[in-house]
Amino acid sequence: MYACTYCQEHIVELLVSCIPSCVYSVDAQSQTPLIVAAKSGNLNIVKMVAQPELLDCKDERGCSALFYAVYYGHMDIIYYLVKCGADVNVRDYNSQTVLMTAVQNGSENVVALLLALGAKTELVTKDTGLRAIDLAQQLKLLQLIILLSVSSGEYMLCSAIM
């Protein structure tokens, strides 16, 4: 985990080649090397430790590697994980999607990428019933409201601006 956290590519490569099963280890927070690598932002390490069965593996908070890549804005890792089969509509234990996380972070580029990769705009949280566009409206993020409105086919600009 240390090597993934601190982007020690040569150490990760050595570990994976000598002990292939190390990619399935978990730390005290139930985070796999893939989750740790996605947080650190090193695409090369993500590629070394990514396994199909780990793509949607969640930590104790219910967050997968994709959640952390979205949270930290690692566009290359987001793209790679989804293209490898990570669920772009994955939910955490609070039923929040990665698109909602990107909206809450105010990251227009990440929202646009997730939409291009197939993120659904109509999904709601279980506790509040809010969609990503509702969060954007609450936060008064006009660019995201426009982006999500166009993507979903909804045009709520008048009510969002008022």
PDB file of all heavy atoms in Angstrom, residues 117-154:
ATOM      1  N   LEU A 117     -19.000   9.171 -20.680  1.00  0.00           N
ATOM      2  CA  LEU A 117     -18.768   7.747 -20.433  1.00  0.00           C
ATOM      3  C   LEU A 117     -20.042   6.998 -20.046  1.00  0.00           C
ATOM      4  O   LEU A 117     -19.995   5.809 -19.761  1.00  0.00           O
ATOM      5  CB  LEU A 117     -17.703   7.573 -19.348  1.00  0.00           C
ATOM      6  CG  LEU A 117     -16.292   8.008 -19.739  1.00  0.00           C
ATOM      7  CD1 LEU A 117     -15.373   8.016 -18.516  1.00  0.00           C
ATOM      8  CD2 LEU A 117     -15.733   7.106 -20.832  1.00  0.00           C
ATOM      9  N   GLY A 118     -21.173   7.701 -20.013  1.00  0.00           N
ATOM     10  CA  GLY A 118     -22.453   7.033 -19.788  1.00  0.00           C
ATOM     11  C   GLY A 118     -23.075   7.192 -18.417  1.00  0.00           C
ATOM     12  O   GLY A 118     -24.022   6.460 -18.083  1.00  0.00           O
ATOM     13  N   ALA A 119     -22.595   8.123 -17.620  1.00  0.00           N
ATOM     14  CA  ALA A 119     -23.208   8.337 -16.302  1.00  0.00           C
ATOM     15  C   ALA A 119     -24.668   8.753 -16.470  1.00  0.00           C
ATOM     16  O   ALA A 119     -24.990   9.586 -17.308  1.00  0.00           O
ATOM     17  CB  ALA A 119     -22.435   9.393 -15.522  1.00  0.00           C
ATOM     18  N   LYS A 120     -25.534   8.170 -15.658  1.00  0.00           N
ATOM     19  CA  LYS A 120     -26.966   8.471 -15.722  1.00  0.00           C
ATOM     20  C   LYS A 120     -27.282   9.682 -14.858  1.00  0.00           C
ATOM     21  O   LYS A 120     -26.874   9.752 -13.699  1.00  0.00           O
ATOM     22  CB  LYS A 120     -27.772   7.268 -15.248  1.00  0.00           C
ATOM     23  CG  LYS A 120     -27.632   6.055 -16.144  1.00  0.00           C
ATOM     24  CD  LYS A 120     -28.448   4.904 -15.608  1.00  0.00           C
ATOM     25  CE  LYS A 120     -28.280   3.679 -16.496  1.00  0.00           C
ATOM     26  NZ  LYS A 120     -28.973   2.513 -15.917  1.00  0.00           N
ATOM     27  N   THR A 121     -28.039  10.603 -15.411  1.00  0.00           N
ATOM     28  CA  THR A 121     -28.395  11.829 -14.689  1.00  0.00           C
ATOM     29  C   THR A 121     -29.640  11.672 -13.831  1.00  0.00           C
ATOM     30  O   THR A 121     -29.875  12.478 -12.936  1.00  0.00           O
ATOM     31  CB  THR A 121     -28.626  12.990 -15.676  1.00  0.00           C
ATOM     32  OG1 THR A 121     -29.668  12.611 -16.585  1.00  0.00           O
ATOM     33  CG2 THR A 121     -27.367  13.313 -16.457  1.00  0.00           C
ATOM     34  N   GLU A 122     -30.433  10.640 -14.086  1.00  0.00           N
ATOM     35  CA  GLU A 122     -31.715  10.508 -13.393  1.00  0.00           C
ATOM     36  C   GLU A 122     -31.632   9.763 -12.059  1.00  0.00           C
ATOM     37  O   GLU A 122     -32.625   9.694 -11.324  1.00  0.00           O
ATOM     38  CB  GLU A 122     -32.743   9.816 -14.294  1.00  0.00           C
ATOM     39  CG  GLU A 122     -32.470   8.346 -14.558  1.00  0.00           C
ATOM     40  CD  GLU A 122     -31.540   8.058 -15.733  1.00  0.00           C
ATOM     41  OE1 GLU A 122     -30.947   8.986 -16.302  1.00  0.00           O
ATOM     42  OE2 GLU A 122     -31.395   6.874 -16.077  1.00  0.00           O
ATOM     43  N   LEU A 123     -30.481   9.227 -11.707  1.00  0.00           N
ATOM     44  CA  LEU A 123     -30.346   8.486 -10.450  1.00  0.00           C
ATOM     45  C   LEU A 123     -30.480   9.429  -9.256  1.00  0.00           C
ATOM     46  O   LEU A 123     -30.001  10.553  -9.286  1.00  0.00           O
ATOM     47  CB  LEU A 123     -29.003   7.759 -10.411  1.00  0.00           C
ATOM     48  CG  LEU A 123     -28.791   6.731 -11.524  1.00  0.00           C
ATOM     49  CD1 LEU A 123     -27.416   6.106 -11.405  1.00  0.00           C
ATOM     50  CD2 LEU A 123     -29.872   5.666 -11.502  1.00  0.00           C
ATOM     51  N   VAL A 124     -31.136   8.941  -8.206  1.00  0.00           N
ATOM     52  CA  VAL A 124     -31.377   9.764  -7.013  1.00  0.00           C
ATOM     53  C   VAL A 124     -30.768   9.091  -5.787  1.00  0.00           C
ATOM     54  O   VAL A 124     -30.614   7.875  -5.743  1.00  0.00           O
ATOM     55  CB  VAL A 124     -32.888  10.009  -6.772  1.00  0.00           C
ATOM     56  CG1 VAL A 124     -33.510  10.759  -7.937  1.00  0.00           C
ATOM     57  CG2 VAL A 124     -33.627   8.699  -6.526  1.00  0.00           C
ATOM     58  N   THR A 125     -30.479   9.910  -4.778  1.00  0.00           N
ATOM     59  CA  THR A 125     -30.008   9.362  -3.505  1.00  0.00           C
ATOM     60  C   THR A 125     -31.213   8.806  -2.751  1.00  0.00           C
ATOM     61  O   THR A 125     -32.331   9.308  -2.893  1.00  0.00           O
ATOM     62  CB  THR A 125     -29.319  10.437  -2.651  1.00  0.00           C
ATOM     63  OG1 THR A 125     -30.243  11.490  -2.400  1.00  0.00           O
ATOM     64  CG2 THR A 125     -28.080  10.986  -3.323  1.00  0.00           C
ATOM     65  N   LYS A 126     -30.984   7.784  -1.965  1.00  0.00           N
ATOM     66  CA  LYS A 126     -32.077   7.158  -1.219  1.00  0.00           C
ATOM     67  C   LYS A 126     -32.588   8.050  -0.095  1.00  0.00           C
ATOM     68  O   LYS A 126     -33.779   8.088   0.172  1.00  0.00           O
ATOM     69  CB  LYS A 126     -31.619   5.816  -0.651  1.00  0.00           C
ATOM     70  CG  LYS A 126     -31.402   4.776  -1.716  1.00  0.00           C
ATOM     71  CD  LYS A 126     -30.916   3.474  -1.135  1.00  0.00           C
ATOM     72  CE  LYS A 126     -30.610   2.498  -2.262  1.00  0.00           C
ATOM     73  NZ  LYS A 126     -29.906   1.322  -1.808  1.00  0.00           N
ATOM     74  N   ASP A 127     -31.684   8.778   0.552  1.00  0.00           N
ATOM     75  CA  ASP A 127     -32.106   9.561   1.715  1.00  0.00           C
ATOM     76  C   ASP A 127     -32.791  10.875   1.337  1.00  0.00           C
ATOM     77  O   ASP A 127     -33.784  11.253   1.932  1.00  0.00           O
ATOM     78  CB  ASP A 127     -30.928   9.817   2.653  1.00  0.00           C
ATOM     79  CG  ASP A 127     -29.734  10.459   1.970  1.00  0.00           C
ATOM     80  OD1 ASP A 127     -29.686  10.494   0.726  1.00  0.00           O
ATOM     81  OD2 ASP A 127     -28.833  10.926   2.687  1.00  0.00           O
ATOM     82  N   THR A 128     -32.288  11.572   0.326  1.00  0.00           N
ATOM     83  CA  THR A 128     -32.851  12.884  -0.015  1.00  0.00           C
ATOM     84  C   THR A 128     -33.648  12.887  -1.317  1.00  0.00           C
ATOM     85  O   THR A 128     -34.391  13.825  -1.572  1.00  0.00           O
ATOM     86  CB  THR A 128     -31.738  13.935  -0.145  1.00  0.00           C
ATOM     87  OG1 THR A 128     -30.860  13.553  -1.210  1.00  0.00           O
ATOM     88  CG2 THR A 128     -30.963  14.074   1.153  1.00  0.00           C
ATOM     89  N   GLY A 129     -33.470  11.872  -2.144  1.00  0.00           N
ATOM     90  CA  GLY A 129     -34.158  11.829  -3.427  1.00  0.00           C
ATOM     91  C   GLY A 129     -33.631  12.829  -4.440  1.00  0.00           C
ATOM     92  O   GLY A 129     -34.311  13.152  -5.408  1.00  0.00           O
ATOM     93  N   LEU A 130     -32.413  13.319  -4.216  1.00  0.00           N
ATOM     94  CA  LEU A 130     -31.835  14.323  -5.119  1.00  0.00           C
ATOM     95  C   LEU A 130     -31.057  13.674  -6.259  1.00  0.00           C
ATOM     96  O   LEU A 130     -30.417  12.647  -6.077  1.00  0.00           O
ATOM     97  CB  LEU A 130     -30.908  15.262  -4.348  1.00  0.00           C
ATOM     98  CG  LEU A 130     -31.555  16.127  -3.274  1.00  0.00           C
ATOM     99  CD1 LEU A 130     -30.489  16.910  -2.523  1.00  0.00           C
ATOM    100  CD2 LEU A 130     -32.581  17.067  -3.883  1.00  0.00           C
ATOM    101  N   ARG A 131     -31.129  14.316  -7.413  1.00  0.00           N
ATOM    102  CA  ARG A 131     -30.329  13.923  -8.569  1.00  0.00           C
ATOM    103  C   ARG A 131     -29.108  14.839  -8.637  1.00  0.00           C
ATOM    104  O   ARG A 131     -29.015  15.833  -7.905  1.00  0.00           O
ATOM    105  CB  ARG A 131     -31.135  14.088  -9.860  1.00  0.00           C
ATOM    106  CG  ARG A 131     -32.388  13.240  -9.921  1.00  0.00           C
ATOM    107  CD  ARG A 131     -33.290  13.665 -11.049  1.00  0.00           C
ATOM    108  NE  ARG A 131     -33.697  15.064 -10.803  1.00  0.00           N
ATOM    109  CZ  ARG A 131     -34.189  15.866 -11.731  1.00  0.00           C
ATOM    110  NH1 ARG A 131     -34.344  15.446 -12.961  1.00  0.00           N
ATOM    111  NH2 ARG A 131     -34.538  17.098 -11.434  1.00  0.00           N
ATOM    112  N   ALA A 132     -28.200  14.526  -9.545  1.00  0.00           N
ATOM    113  CA  ALA A 132     -26.999  15.352  -9.711  1.00  0.00           C
ATOM    114  C   ALA A 132     -27.378  16.791 -10.059  1.00  0.00           C
ATOM    115  O   ALA A 132     -26.795  17.742  -9.524  1.00  0.00           O
ATOM    116  CB  ALA A 132     -26.096  14.753 -10.786  1.00  0.00           C
ATOM    117  N   ILE A 133     -28.370  16.982 -10.914  1.00  0.00           N
ATOM    118  CA  ILE A 133     -28.769  18.336 -11.303  1.00  0.00           C
ATOM    119  C   ILE A 133     -29.372  19.095 -10.118  1.00  0.00           C
ATOM    120  O   ILE A 133     -29.190  20.311  -9.991  1.00  0.00           O
ATOM    121  CB  ILE A 133     -29.720  18.335 -12.519  1.00  0.00           C
ATOM    122  CG1 ILE A 133     -29.812  19.754 -13.101  1.00  0.00           C
ATOM    123  CG2 ILE A 133     -31.071  17.762 -12.175  1.00  0.00           C
ATOM    124  CD1 ILE A 133     -30.433  19.823 -14.469  1.00  0.00           C
ATOM    125  N   ASP A 134     -30.063  18.381  -9.239  1.00  0.00           N
ATOM    126  CA  ASP A 134     -30.620  19.021  -8.048  1.00  0.00           C
ATOM    127  C   ASP A 134     -29.500  19.537  -7.143  1.00  0.00           C
ATOM    128  O   ASP A 134     -29.603  20.629  -6.585  1.00  0.00           O
ATOM    129  CB  ASP A 134     -31.506  18.042  -7.276  1.00  0.00           C
ATOM    130  CG  ASP A 134     -32.674  17.520  -8.102  1.00  0.00           C
ATOM    131  OD1 ASP A 134     -33.224  18.298  -8.916  1.00  0.00           O
ATOM    132  OD2 ASP A 134     -33.018  16.331  -7.953  1.00  0.00           O
ATOM    133  N   LEU A 135     -28.441  18.745  -7.031  1.00  0.00           N
ATOM    134  CA  LEU A 135     -27.283  19.175  -6.242  1.00  0.00           C
ATOM    135  C   LEU A 135     -26.631  20.407  -6.866  1.00  0.00           C
ATOM    136  O   LEU A 135     -26.266  21.350  -6.166  1.00  0.00           O
ATOM    137  CB  LEU A 135     -26.263  18.045  -6.131  1.00  0.00           C
ATOM    138  CG  LEU A 135     -26.707  16.813  -5.353  1.00  0.00           C
ATOM    139  CD1 LEU A 135     -25.686  15.694  -5.488  1.00  0.00           C
ATOM    140  CD2 LEU A 135     -26.932  17.162  -3.892  1.00  0.00           C
ATOM    141  N   ALA A 136     -26.506  20.398  -8.187  1.00  0.00           N
ATOM    142  CA  ALA A 136     -25.925  21.546  -8.887  1.00  0.00           C
ATOM    143  C   ALA A 136     -26.778  22.798  -8.654  1.00  0.00           C
ATOM    144  O   ALA A 136     -26.242  23.894  -8.473  1.00  0.00           O
ATOM    145  CB  ALA A 136     -25.793  21.250 -10.374  1.00  0.00           C
ATOM    146  N   GLN A 137     -28.097  22.634  -8.652  1.00  0.00           N
ATOM    147  CA  GLN A 137     -28.983  23.771  -8.404  1.00  0.00           C
ATOM    148  C   GLN A 137     -28.833  24.279  -6.974  1.00  0.00           C
ATOM    149  O   GLN A 137     -28.781  25.487  -6.748  1.00  0.00           O
ATOM    150  CB  GLN A 137     -30.435  23.393  -8.690  1.00  0.00           C
ATOM    151  CG  GLN A 137     -30.708  23.260 -10.168  1.00  0.00           C
ATOM    152  CD  GLN A 137     -32.127  22.831 -10.452  1.00  0.00           C
ATOM    153  OE1 GLN A 137     -32.671  21.957  -9.783  1.00  0.00           O
ATOM    154  NE2 GLN A 137     -32.735  23.453 -11.439  1.00  0.00           N
ATOM    155  N   GLN A 138     -28.751  23.357  -6.016  1.00  0.00           N
ATOM    156  CA  GLN A 138     -28.573  23.771  -4.624  1.00  0.00           C
ATOM    157  C   GLN A 138     -27.278  24.554  -4.435  1.00  0.00           C
ATOM    158  O   GLN A 138     -27.223  25.515  -3.679  1.00  0.00           O
ATOM    159  CB  GLN A 138     -28.552  22.548  -3.700  1.00  0.00           C
ATOM    160  CG  GLN A 138     -29.896  21.963  -3.425  1.00  0.00           C
ATOM    161  CD  GLN A 138     -29.811  20.807  -2.440  1.00  0.00           C
ATOM    162  OE1 GLN A 138     -28.742  20.303  -2.107  1.00  0.00           O
ATOM    163  NE2 GLN A 138     -30.977  20.370  -1.977  1.00  0.00           N
ATOM    164  N   LEU A 139     -26.244  24.121  -5.153  1.00  0.00           N
ATOM    165  CA  LEU A 139     -24.935  24.767  -5.027  1.00  0.00           C
ATOM    166  C   LEU A 139     -24.782  25.965  -5.966  1.00  0.00           C
ATOM    167  O   LEU A 139     -23.747  26.628  -5.963  1.00  0.00           O
ATOM    168  CB  LEU A 139     -23.830  23.736  -5.304  1.00  0.00           C
ATOM    169  CG  LEU A 139     -23.774  22.584  -4.305  1.00  0.00           C
ATOM    170  CD1 LEU A 139     -22.842  21.485  -4.812  1.00  0.00           C
ATOM    171  CD2 LEU A 139     -23.339  23.079  -2.939  1.00  0.00           C
ATOM    172  N   LYS A 140     -25.828  26.221  -6.783  1.00  0.00           N
ATOM    173  CA  LYS A 140     -25.844  27.341  -7.738  1.00  0.00           C
ATOM    174  C   LYS A 140     -24.646  27.300  -8.694  1.00  0.00           C
ATOM    175  O   LYS A 140     -23.992  28.306  -8.944  1.00  0.00           O
ATOM    176  CB  LYS A 140     -25.912  28.670  -6.998  1.00  0.00           C
ATOM    177  CG  LYS A 140     -27.162  28.806  -6.131  1.00  0.00           C
ATOM    178  CD  LYS A 140     -27.308  30.175  -5.545  1.00  0.00           C
ATOM    179  CE  LYS A 140     -28.464  30.319  -4.595  1.00  0.00           C
ATOM    180  NZ  LYS A 140     -29.690  29.702  -4.870  1.00  0.00           N
ATOM    181  N   LEU A 141     -24.408  26.094  -9.231  1.00  0.00           N
ATOM    182  CA  LEU A 141     -23.309  25.887 -10.167  1.00  0.00           C
ATOM    183  C   LEU A 141     -23.880  25.918 -11.586  1.00  0.00           C
ATOM    184  O   LEU A 141     -24.225  24.889 -12.158  1.00  0.00           O
ATOM    185  CB  LEU A 141     -22.606  24.561  -9.875  1.00  0.00           C
ATOM    186  CG  LEU A 141     -21.990  24.446  -8.478  1.00  0.00           C
ATOM    187  CD1 LEU A 141     -21.542  23.030  -8.188  1.00  0.00           C
ATOM    188  CD2 LEU A 141     -20.839  25.427  -8.325  1.00  0.00           C
ATOM    189  N   LEU A 142     -24.002  27.123 -12.123  1.00  0.00           N
ATOM    190  CA  LEU A 142     -24.693  27.340 -13.396  1.00  0.00           C
ATOM    191  C   LEU A 142     -24.122  26.503 -14.537  1.00  0.00           C
ATOM    192  O   LEU A 142     -24.881  25.905 -15.296  1.00  0.00           O
ATOM    193  CB  LEU A 142     -24.680  28.826 -13.764  1.00  0.00           C
ATOM    194  CG  LEU A 142     -25.467  29.188 -15.028  1.00  0.00           C
ATOM    195  CD1 LEU A 142     -26.923  28.770 -14.909  1.00  0.00           C
ATOM    196  CD2 LEU A 142     -25.364  30.677 -15.304  1.00  0.00           C
ATOM    197  N   GLN A 143     -22.801  26.440 -14.674  1.00  0.00           N
ATOM    198  CA  GLN A 143     -22.206  25.667 -15.776  1.00  0.00           C
ATOM    199  C   GLN A 143     -22.579  24.186 -15.674  1.00  0.00           C
ATOM    200  O   GLN A 143     -22.851  23.540 -16.677  1.00  0.00           O
ATOM    201  CB  GLN A 143     -20.684  25.827 -15.803  1.00  0.00           C
ATOM    202  CG  GLN A 143     -20.222  27.221 -16.139  1.00  0.00           C
ATOM    203  CD  GLN A 143     -20.519  27.595 -17.586  1.00  0.00           C
ATOM    204  OE1 GLN A 143     -21.439  27.094 -18.220  1.00  0.00           O
ATOM    205  NE2 GLN A 143     -19.743  28.521 -18.113  1.00  0.00           N
ATOM    206  N   LEU A 144     -22.603  23.676 -14.454  1.00  0.00           N
ATOM    207  CA  LEU A 144     -22.980  22.273 -14.274  1.00  0.00           C
ATOM    208  C   LEU A 144     -24.470  22.064 -14.497  1.00  0.00           C
ATOM    209  O   LEU A 144     -24.882  21.038 -15.033  1.00  0.00           O
ATOM    210  CB  LEU A 144     -22.566  21.780 -12.888  1.00  0.00           C
ATOM    211  CG  LEU A 144     -21.062  21.690 -12.654  1.00  0.00           C
ATOM    212  CD1 LEU A 144     -20.764  21.176 -11.254  1.00  0.00           C
ATOM    213  CD2 LEU A 144     -20.385  20.828 -13.691  1.00  0.00           C
ATOM    214  N   ILE A 145     -25.276  23.033 -14.115  1.00  0.00           N
ATOM    215  CA  ILE A 145     -26.719  22.946 -14.365  1.00  0.00           C
ATOM    216  C   ILE A 145     -26.970  22.868 -15.867  1.00  0.00           C
ATOM    217  O   ILE A 145     -27.744  22.035 -16.335  1.00  0.00           O
ATOM    218  CB  ILE A 145     -27.465  24.149 -13.750  1.00  0.00           C
ATOM    219  CG1 ILE A 145     -27.356  24.120 -12.223  1.00  0.00           C
ATOM    220  CG2 ILE A 145     -28.928  24.164 -14.189  1.00  0.00           C
ATOM    221  CD1 ILE A 145     -27.790  25.404 -11.543  1.00  0.00           C
ATOM    222  N   ILE A 146     -26.292  23.708 -16.613  1.00  0.00           N
ATOM    223  CA  ILE A 146     -26.446  23.701 -18.072  1.00  0.00           C
ATOM    224  C   ILE A 146     -25.994  22.366 -18.639  1.00  0.00           C
ATOM    225  O   ILE A 146     -26.705  21.736 -19.438  1.00  0.00           O
ATOM    226  CB  ILE A 146     -25.660  24.870 -18.709  1.00  0.00           C
ATOM    227  CG1 ILE A 146     -26.287  26.206 -18.302  1.00  0.00           C
ATOM    228  CG2 ILE A 146     -25.606  24.732 -20.224  1.00  0.00           C
ATOM    229  CD1 ILE A 146     -25.439  27.421 -18.638  1.00  0.00           C
ATOM    230  N   LEU A 147     -24.817  21.908 -18.230  1.00  0.00           N
ATOM    231  CA  LEU A 147     -24.267  20.647 -18.734  1.00  0.00           C
ATOM    232  C   LEU A 147     -25.191  19.470 -18.430  1.00  0.00           C
ATOM    233  O   LEU A 147     -25.496  18.661 -19.310  1.00  0.00           O
ATOM    234  CB  LEU A 147     -22.887  20.428 -18.103  1.00  0.00           C
ATOM    235  CG  LEU A 147     -22.033  19.287 -18.592  1.00  0.00           C
ATOM    236  CD1 LEU A 147     -21.717  19.443 -20.077  1.00  0.00           C
ATOM    237  CD2 LEU A 147     -20.733  19.250 -17.798  1.00  0.00           C
ATOM    238  N   LEU A 148     -25.666  19.391 -17.214  1.00  0.00           N
ATOM    239  CA  LEU A 148     -26.554  18.298 -16.827  1.00  0.00           C
ATOM    240  C   LEU A 148     -27.928  18.416 -17.475  1.00  0.00           C
ATOM    241  O   LEU A 148     -28.537  17.408 -17.837  1.00  0.00           O
ATOM    242  CB  LEU A 148     -26.689  18.245 -15.306  1.00  0.00           C
ATOM    243  CG  LEU A 148     -25.412  17.823 -14.569  1.00  0.00           C
ATOM    244  CD1 LEU A 148     -25.478  18.225 -13.101  1.00  0.00           C
ATOM    245  CD2 LEU A 148     -25.180  16.332 -14.714  1.00  0.00           C
ATOM    246  N   SER A 149     -28.419  19.642 -17.654  1.00  0.00           N
ATOM    247  CA  SER A 149     -29.720  19.853 -18.310  1.00  0.00           C
ATOM    248  C   SER A 149     -29.680  19.389 -19.751  1.00  0.00           C
ATOM    249  O   SER A 149     -30.578  18.687 -20.209  1.00  0.00           O
ATOM    250  CB  SER A 149     -30.109  21.329 -18.273  1.00  0.00           C
ATOM    251  OG  SER A 149     -30.361  21.755 -16.972  1.00  0.00           O
ATOM    252  N   VAL A 150     -28.637  19.774 -20.455  1.00  0.00           N
ATOM    253  CA  VAL A 150     -28.508  19.385 -21.861  1.00  0.00           C
ATOM    254  C   VAL A 150     -28.356  17.875 -21.969  1.00  0.00           C
ATOM    255  O   VAL A 150     -28.979  17.234 -22.813  1.00  0.00           O
ATOM    256  CB  VAL A 150     -27.318  20.120 -22.519  1.00  0.00           C
ATOM    257  CG1 VAL A 150     -27.020  19.550 -23.895  1.00  0.00           C
ATOM    258  CG2 VAL A 150     -27.611  21.608 -22.607  1.00  0.00           C
ATOM    259  N   SER A 151     -27.556  17.291 -21.097  1.00  0.00           N
ATOM    260  CA  SER A 151     -27.323  15.851 -21.137  1.00  0.00           C
ATOM    261  C   SER A 151     -28.587  15.054 -20.845  1.00  0.00           C
ATOM    262  O   SER A 151     -28.834  14.027 -21.455  1.00  0.00           O
ATOM    263  CB  SER A 151     -26.235  15.474 -20.139  1.00  0.00           C
ATOM    264  OG  SER A 151     -26.044  14.085 -20.136  1.00  0.00           O
ATOM    265  N   SER A 152     -29.393  15.530 -19.907  1.00  0.00           N
ATOM    266  CA  SER A 152     -30.596  14.795 -19.518  1.00  0.00           C
ATOM    267  C   SER A 152     -31.812  15.143 -20.371  1.00  0.00           C
ATOM    268  O   SER A 152     -32.841  14.493 -20.253  1.00  0.00           O
ATOM    269  CB  SER A 152     -30.914  15.060 -18.053  1.00  0.00           C
ATOM    270  OG  SER A 152     -31.327  16.406 -17.879  1.00  0.00           O
ATOM    271  N   GLY A 153     -31.686  16.187 -21.172  1.00  0.00           N
ATOM    272  CA  GLY A 153     -32.826  16.612 -21.967  1.00  0.00           C
ATOM    273  C   GLY A 153     -33.752  17.537 -21.202  1.00  0.00           C
ATOM    274  O   GLY A 153     -34.806  17.925 -21.698  1.00  0.00           O
ATOM    275  N   GLU A 154     -33.390  17.880 -19.980  1.00  0.00           N
ATOM    276  CA  GLU A 154     -34.197  18.797 -19.168  1.00  0.00           C
ATOM    277  C   GLU A 154     -33.639  20.198 -19.337  1.00  0.00           C
ATOM    278  O   GLU A 154     -32.435  20.401 -19.439  1.00  0.00           O
ATOM    279  CB  GLU A 154     -34.130  18.428 -17.689  1.00  0.00           C
ATOM    280  CG  GLU A 154     -34.723  17.084 -17.387  1.00  0.00           C
ATOM    281  CD  GLU A 154     -34.657  16.765 -15.915  1.00  0.00           C
ATOM    282  OE1 GLU A 154     -34.904  17.662 -15.101  1.00  0.00           O
ATOM    283  OE2 GLU A 154     -34.338  15.621 -15.588  1.00  0.00           O
TER     284      GLU A 154
END
